[in-house]
Amino acid sequence: MRKEKTEYISRNSWLPTSAKEVEELGWDYIDVILFSGDAYVDHPSFAAAVIGRTLQAHGYRVAIVPQPNWRDDLRDFKKLGKPRLFFGVSAGAMDSMVNHYTAARRRRSNDAYTPGGKFGMRPDYPTIVYSEILKKLYPDVPVIAGGIEASLRRVSHYDYWQDRLRPSIMLDAPVDMVIYGMGEKTVVEIADALASGRSIESMTDVMQTVVMLPKATTPKADPDNVILASYEECLRDKRKQSGNFKHVEQQSNRMHGATIWQPHGDRVVKINPMLPPMTTGEIDAAFDLPYTRLPHPRYKGKEIPAWEMIKHSVNLHRGCFGGCSFCTISAHQGKFIASRSKESILKEVKAVIAMPDFKGYISDLGGPSANMYRMGGKDKSVCEKCMRPSCLHPKPCANLDNDHGPLLDIYHAVDSLPGIKKSFIGSGVRYDLSMAPSGDSRVDAVNRKYNEELIKNHVSGRLKVAPEHTCDKVLEIMRKPSFSMFYDFKKIFDRVNRQYDLRQQIIPYFISSHPGCREMDMAELAAETKTLNMHLEQVQDFTPTPMTVSTEIYYSGIHPYTGEKVYCAVRPEEKLAQRKYFFWYDKTYRDDIVKSLQKMHRPDIIHKLYPAYRDPRGHNKKDRR
């Protein structure tokens, strides 16, 4: 970030991060101090800014301490003193362990949420580390945790990096409460209650929070209260942990969920229900706050990679009803879509246009999934009762309104603004959603138009889609459509490219070592994608993260919904044996791949991948099929 990008904005336009900045504002107290594992970027894509600005809009004085040093004399934790109401702690926009480690548990060398991409500016498990420090320094001040790390650890969960089942984060971190999911409404309710004189201990029923109570308070199971197997039972029996997850996922995806209780020793963790999805007015209010949209001047021109990636993008909605087994979006944001108004979106686009370095290109008009804007149930009363984790799997719900017309209207409105040369869609597109028959000829025609306009006008040379695998039995576990649908979409993509003389690429994402996937499945994936003339780039080895179906299967070997055993590649050599097929074209891997395929008696795949290969006895593999 160069100096000229911030010099036109007053330094006091940001929330304060130091004692000097607090003094310059003339404050003699602070209501809430937020500690974040991320650098402070005053932008609606960064949680500390959203929570801070939300509280500010309700009259509270908020300061942010970004990436505090936890290894020295703890001056960062002391410099602002006590807040009047509470400390908030968050690991940041990413789970710290995903941020720090690869799927092979190797340390990463950079951190996209840190100035200069520098690694090592946050600890492992910052939620635990920060809250422990704060409670030792200020034992009488409430500490409230939020963010993705705390949110997804609200019940007992498998920790891939320590390879063990851990209890709810309420047991690991000395916090008074966890706010899970998107926290704007909840944090204001808590601040208002504390400001009115209520104690944090008395707030046991606030929606979308997690608290810890004496075990004796656990009620009997009924439609409004789900009692999970205890942490101790789950330690003894992996089936208990697997069974717990089904209840947690179902309740998290209900419009009006039950309260969840999980005993831990002589205490019980109480998870209050998730709030209903935000209204358009509520989500507009969150995005329309007076963000500078820039990193704090304290970073003195250092680039923050995560901000550089999204600074010219606009988020259209929250939530995702795809329900992919390996994804945590619905567990955190919910499956019901909360969409912004057209006016709010265009207001933000105009703010992007006004940025000094904007060149006319919106990098993304997207969301958790790019094309779910203003979608949901046709009959809301059906949604009120629904417990399906996915509206698209095993097939699109008959009640789903998948009309892409409102999204096209946004694209057209943005592209018509002075200063816009082109808007791109950088988020992943659910082609199974845009291609799904709706039962309405008008909607089907609009959706066909959407696919064509998307490919013709909104691809920056490369369109990202996520088939994830080619094997139907693996895709079934992933809750993804058959790979045959990718072929159908690619036909549309190729036709539009030919029609308008475009030279664009379609970039598919694939995952190796997902539960249910064997080495043979990866070999067939390599052969099938080679037939499509694809050298795979967007690939990853499955990384188990808390609060997903896939992680529960990986840990227990059991599918939470069927109770059936599922094969999982767990040992490093098993995972490496699958991953190598992504790189079949690399000579480094060829001999090993051939040797593996010979052991599996698949000379046909050897020939598909390496037509000219001959074995040491001089026989061409094609001749030995």
Side-chain angles (χ1 to χ4, degrees):
M1 185 185 70
R2 298 185 299 276
K3 183 179 178 182
E4 65 266 28
K5 291 183 184 177
T6 59
E7 64 184 6
Y8 65 101
I9 299 177
S10 165
R11 189 181 186 91
N12 289 341
S13 297
W14 282 263
L15 298 172
T17 65
S18 67
K20 181 181 178 182
E21 292 167 30
V22 171
E23 184 181 348
E24 288 173 352
L25 290 168
W27 293 359
D28 56 356
Y29 67 89
I30 304 171
D31 290 308
V32 178
I33 302 175
L34 304 175
F35 284 80
S36 172
D38 292 339
Y40 171 30
V41 180
D42 194 43
H43 187 282
S45 291
F46 290 77
V50 175
I51 296 301
R53 290 294 189 186
T54 298
L55 287 166
Q56 180 190 52
H58 283 79
Y60 294 104
R61 295 179 177 181
V62 184
I64 296 177
V65 181
Q67 300 189 313
N69 190 336
W70 74 100
R71 293 172 288 202
D72 61 3
D73 61 1
L74 307 181
R75 67 188 66 181
D76 283 345
F77 292 86
K78 302 172 184 175
K79 64 184 181 183
L80 299 180
K82 288 184 181 183
R84 187 172 69 96
L85 299 179
F86 65 88
F87 289 112
V89 297
S90 170
M94 283 182 69
D95 185 288
S96 68
M97 304 307 282
V98 176
N99 180 283
H100 282 177
Y101 299 94
T102 68
R105 298 188 177 96
R106 295 193 184 97
R107 276 270 184 183
R108 299 188 190 275
S109 58
N110 52 46
D111 183 339
Y113 291 86
T114 298
K118 184 179 179 181
F119 186 84
M121 297 301 289
R122 77 184 88 207
D124 290 352
Y125 309 107
T127 307
I128 298 172
V129 175
Y130 295 168
S131 58
E132 285 178 341
I133 293 170
L134 290 169
K135 274 298 183 184
K136 285 178 183 176
L137 292 174
Y138 310 102
D140 58 330
V141 179
V143 177
I144 299 173
I148 194 97
E149 182 169 272
S151 180
L152 300 183
R153 287 169 167 77
R154 54 192 187 257
V155 291
S156 62
H157 57 279
Y158 172 67
D159 188 295
Y160 173 69
W161 300 274
Q162 294 188 348
D163 192 25
R164 70 182 180 96
L165 192 72
R166 294 185 68 145
S168 163
I169 198 168
M170 293 295 299
L171 278 292
D172 279 340
V175 298
D176 296 278
M177 181 183 286
V178 166
I179 297 175
Y180 71 91
M182 311 304 282
E184 295 101 323
K185 294 176 69 174
T186 305
V187 78
V188 170
E189 180 179 348
I190 293 167
D192 287 347
L194 290 171
S196 72
R198 283 187 64 186
S199 68
I200 192 73
E201 293 80 12
S202 71
M203 286 182 267
T204 61
D205 298 319
V206 179
M207 291 188 72
Q208 219 159 296
T209 65
V210 186
V211 295
M212 190 158 58
L213 302 170
K215 187 176 180 180
T217 61
T218 309
K220 292 182 179 180
D222 60 36
D224 295 322
N225 293 279
V226 173
I227 316 301
L228 302 179
S230 71
Y231 172 58
E232 291 75 20
E233 289 178 287
C234 293
L235 282 172
R236 292 191 295 268
D237 186 350
K238 290 183 177 180
R239 279 190 176 272
K240 297 280 189 181
Q241 172 65 21
S242 177
N244 274 0
F245 179 79
K246 177 180 177 180
H247 293 299
V248 173
E249 184 181 47
Q250 286 180 332
Q251 297 305 323
S252 297
N253 284 308
R254 287 180 65 189
M255 185 78 76
H256 307 288
T259 300
I260 297 174
W261 305 74
Q262 186 181 28
H264 288 68
D266 62 354
R267 292 172 288 182
V268 64
V269 171
K270 180 187 181 188
I271 304 171
N272 291 303
M274 185 176 274
L275 285 160
M278 293 176 105
T279 64
T280 295
E282 288 169 340
I283 194 170
D284 281 356
F287 278 88
D288 292 347
L289 294 167
Y291 305 100
T292 65
R293 301 185 62 83
L294 299 168
H296 191 278
R298 65 186 282 139
Y299 302 120
K300 298 177 181 177
K302 291 182 180 177
E303 289 192 350
I304 299 173
W307 175 73
E308 293 288 339
M309 183 181 296
I310 59 88
K311 63 182 178 179
H312 296 151
S313 69
V314 176
N315 187 12
L316 308 184
H317 73 271
R318 289 181 184 168
C320 179
F321 51 72
C324 299
S325 296
F326 47 81
C327 182
T328 61
I329 291 172
S330 65
H332 188 65
Q333 295 192 11
K335 79 172 182 181
F336 296 104
I337 305 302
S339 296
R340 299 171 64 184
S341 68
K342 181 178 177 180
E343 292 73 23
S344 176
I345 293 166
L346 294 180
K347 179 180 176 182
E348 186 175 0
V349 172
K350 290 172 184 176
V352 173
I353 293 170
M355 295 177 72
D357 65 339
F358 183 67
K359 306 299 183 185
Y361 299 97
I362 297 291
S363 61
D364 185 23
L365 288 173
S369 285
N371 56 320
M372 292 186 181
Y373 178 72
R374 281 183 54 180
M375 293 186 191
K378 300 169 187 174
D379 182 347
K380 302 303 181 191
S381 67
V382 173
C383 297
E384 296 269 349
K385 304 170 187 174
C386 180
M387 293 180 69
R388 279 180 58 169
S390 171
C391 302
L392 294 177
H393 183 85
K395 61 181 181 179
C397 176
N399 188 48
L400 178 63
D401 177 7
N402 68 335
D403 184 357
H404 285 62
L407 190 54
L408 277 176
D409 182 49
I410 294 295
Y411 293 174
H412 298 160
V414 169
D415 288 348
S416 68
L417 289 174
I420 295 292
K421 296 177 182 177
K422 204 171 185 65
S423 61
F424 297 115
I425 311 306
S427 306
V429 174
R430 290 296 301 244
Y431 53 78
D432 53 333
L433 177 59
S434 61
M435 295 172 66
S438 68
D440 182 324
S441 59
R442 182 197 65 81
V443 171
D444 289 345
V446 168
N447 292 354
R448 286 193 297 271
K449 182 180 179 182
Y450 171 82
N451 284 328
E452 295 203 5
E453 287 200 20
L454 169 73
I455 297 164
K456 177 188 173 187
N457 299 328
H458 301 285
V459 176
S460 60
R462 296 153 68 91
L463 178 64
K464 298 175 185 177
V465 295
E468 308 296 4
H469 213 287
T470 59
C471 173
D472 280 350
K473 64 180 175 58
V474 178
L475 289 166
E476 176 66 23
I477 294 172
M478 290 179 163
R479 295 179 181 155
K480 297 289 286 187
S482 170
F483 192 65
S484 62
M485 188 166 285
F486 174 79
Y487 280 107
D488 293 340
F489 184 75
K490 189 173 183 300
K491 288 177 184 176
I492 299 171
F493 185 85
D494 291 342
R495 175 179 59 77
V496 173
N497 272 268
R498 286 192 305 269
Q499 184 177 347
Y500 296 99
D501 194 26
L502 302 172
R503 291 171 176 78
Q504 300 176 145
Q505 290 179 291
I506 189 168
I507 307 297
Y509 284 75
F510 290 102
I511 297 177
S512 61
S513 302
H514 189 276
C517 179
R518 297 179 181 272
E519 185 178 348
M520 181 64 71
D521 300 319
M522 289 303 299
E524 291 176 346
L525 182 152
E528 188 145 9
T529 53
K530 189 203 173 185
T531 302
L532 290 168
N533 196 30
M534 289 179 174
H535 282 206
L536 304 183
E537 301 173 28
Q538 300 292 333
V539 299
Q540 68 179 81
D541 198 30
F542 170 66
T543 304
T545 56
M547 201 72 80
T548 71
V549 176
S550 303
T551 296
E552 297 301 331
I553 298 173
Y554 178 92
Y555 168 66
S556 67
I558 299 160
H559 197 295
Y561 284 80
T562 66
E564 296 176 354
K565 291 184 177 181
V566 178
Y567 167 79
C568 297
V570 174
R571 292 182 292 118
E573 54 268 33
E574 291 175 314
K575 293 169 78 69
L576 184 60
Q578 293 200 21
R579 183 175 173 78
K580 68 190 177 189
Y581 289 98
F582 285 142
F583 310 105
W584 60 267
Y585 50 85
D586 187 331
K587 291 180 181 179
T588 307
Y589 295 96
R590 190 183 72 169
D591 290 346
D592 190 31
I593 288 173
V594 169
K595 189 181 297 183
S596 296
L597 290 170
Q598 287 172 335
K599 286 182 180 178
M600 292 187 288
H601 307 290
R602 292 300 300 268
D604 56 317
I605 296 181
I606 295 174
H607 175 68
K608 286 180 181 178
L609 296 179
Y610 312 110
Y613 179 79
R614 300 180 68 84
D615 72 14
R617 292 166 290 183
H619 299 296
N620 185 287
K621 293 298 164 184
K622 182 176 182 180
D623 299 332
R624 298 182 61 212
R625 287 175 62 188

